[in-house]
Amino acid sequence: RPVCEVCRVLRHAARAALACVLACIGCDAAAEPPARWRDCTEPSCPWLVTLHPGRFLMGSPVSEVGRLPNEGPRHPVHIAYRLAVTETPITRGQFRAYVRATGRRPAGGCNAWNGRAWQVDKARDWEHPGFAQTDDDPVVCVSWHEAQAYACWLSLKTGHDYRPLSEAEWEFAARAGSAARYAFGDDERALCAHANVADRAARSALAKVQTDCDDGFAYTAPVRSFPPNAWGLYDMHGNVWQWVRDCYADQSYESAPTDGSAVQIRPCLERVLRGGGWNNGSDMQRLAYRDHDRPSGRHANTGLRLARTLP
């Protein structure tokens, strides 16, 4: 009888332990976000894509065509955390929701193409960039400060901490496992099938062809007009430059962090831009290409993309 009692207790404990394990498995499954989701239900809420931890080589090899000195030395980076990244650059419609909700009116003035040259025009802004856009086009003429303000608003709206990506996070996301010049390979002749760049379609706008193909768009294109990269992110090449968190500090990666964090210095006179715009040719569309500008700068080819760190 004492042995039977011990068996009963053990069986009861085993059932309880099994129930606990199954409950924990269920909790983990529920906590794992889907590959694509959003934090609020309004149409103005951006869709997110989950990126899992990984390692990659940041920068370009010395043999890469079009390489510049500030893209090296090539160095390993370990992203040891999960990221939720907006599936596309933030659109005009999404930015308009922020403007209406906050009453904030971003100041006018934008560096725009006037048919002959890039020139700051006080009449240009995110609503009037100098060319027609839909609400599905990426917002342009947005400064780094305004990108930060939009991220703050979206954070308050959703209860999650949104922010621009670090430069390392951006390249990790853009490469999506690729070590080539572009996410789709090394052949620049394939650019027009994958991105909105300065091509034959832009001849009427720019009076020159930088990439000899035709993507069908002279200025910005609605997001998702081109295939996503291997991780489901759109417009990581072309369409609009994207602000990132890093200060542009050095002309090389000699002291760059290797953990995905952003370079922050004081004073931070310039911030880094990534991705290339609708007016740029093949060299500037490369995954390793880096640009930079004053945080107050607004340009008709510059927008933003956001991310948040997942637990």
Side-chain angles (χ1 to χ4, degrees):
R1 186 177 181 89
V3 172
C4 291
E5 181 65 20
V6 169
C7 290
R8 186 186 67 79
V9 171
L10 289 176
R11 283 197 300 270
H12 178 75
R15 291 193 195 100
L18 179 60
C20 182
V21 168
L22 292 174
C24 288
I25 291 172
C27 288
D28 286 345
E32 176 70 20
R36 180 180 185 265
W37 87 102
R38 52 186 177 179
D39 285 324
C40 45
T41 58
E42 293 91 335
S44 60
C45 281
W47 286 94
L48 299 166
V49 172
T50 303
L51 303 189
H52 293 277
R55 302 173 188 268
F56 76 107
L57 286 175
M58 185 173 182
S60 59
V62 293
S63 59
E64 182 166 304
V65 176
R67 183 186 191 268
L68 295 176
N70 69 355
E71 298 168 19
R74 204 176 189 198
H75 58 286
V77 173
H78 180 203
I79 307 292
Y81 48 89
R82 295 184 307 162
L83 275 173
V85 180
T86 56
E87 186 178 60
T88 71
I90 299 304
T91 66
R92 257 174 67 109
Q94 290 163 350
F95 195 78
R96 179 180 288 108
Y98 148 75
V99 171
R100 288 177 175 172
T102 62
R104 183 184 177 100
R105 298 294 301 178
C110 181
N111 188 31
W113 179 256
N114 64 13
R116 299 177 304 278
W118 286 88
Q119 184 177 21
V120 175
D121 186 339
K122 292 183 179 180
R124 302 299 181 198
D125 59 19
W126 70 273
E127 287 187 292
H128 310 96
F131 48 85
Q133 286 190 302
T134 70
D135 274 357
D136 287 328
D137 279 63
V139 67
V140 295
C141 295
V142 176
S143 72
W144 187 86
H145 297 303
E146 288 153 0
Q148 287 287 96
Y150 175 85
C152 182
W153 170 76
L154 189 61
S155 298
L156 292 172
K157 178 181 177 66
T158 63
H160 298 287
D161 186 17
Y162 281 86
R163 54 177 175 75
L165 287 76
S166 71
E167 187 174 13
E169 290 171 344
W170 189 95
E171 189 167 326
F172 174 67
R175 287 192 177 278
S178 172
R181 294 177 79 203
Y182 311 104
F184 53 84
D186 288 313
D187 188 357
E188 65 186 53
R189 293 173 297 180
L191 263 173
C192 286
H194 293 271
N196 177 22
V197 302
D199 60 339
R200 291 196 294 267
R203 186 194 301 273
S204 59
L206 300 171
K208 60 181 177 180
V209 174
Q210 297 185 31
T211 303
D212 193 19
C213 55
D214 192 338
D215 60 35
F217 296 94
Y219 295 100
T220 57
V223 299
R224 302 185 186 88
S225 293
F226 298 89
N229 69 11
W231 291 351
L233 297 172
Y234 293 83
D235 292 336
M236 299 302 283
H237 290 296
N239 220 4
V240 291
W241 291 95
Q242 299 160 34
W243 290 108
V244 297
R245 285 169 31 219
D246 297 60
C247 299
Y248 187 72
D250 300 315
Q251 299 296 318
S252 75
Y253 284 135
E254 286 293 347
S255 56
T258 60
D259 61 355
S261 58
V263 173
Q264 301 290 355
I265 59 171
R266 295 291 183 270
C268 185
L269 301 179
E270 293 186 308
R271 297 281 177 174
V272 178
L273 290 154
R274 285 303 208 107
W278 53 265
N279 65 309
N280 300 120
S282 55
D283 281 354
M284 298 177 77
Q285 304 292 348
R286 293 178 301 107
L287 292 165
Y289 189 89
R290 311 171 70 201
D291 204 353
H292 48 96
D293 192 28
R294 295 170 296 109
S296 59
R298 299 186 190 91
H299 303 273
N301 61 355
T302 298
L304 69 147
R305 186 187 296 265
L306 299 181
R308 69 178 180 88
T309 306
L310 293 173

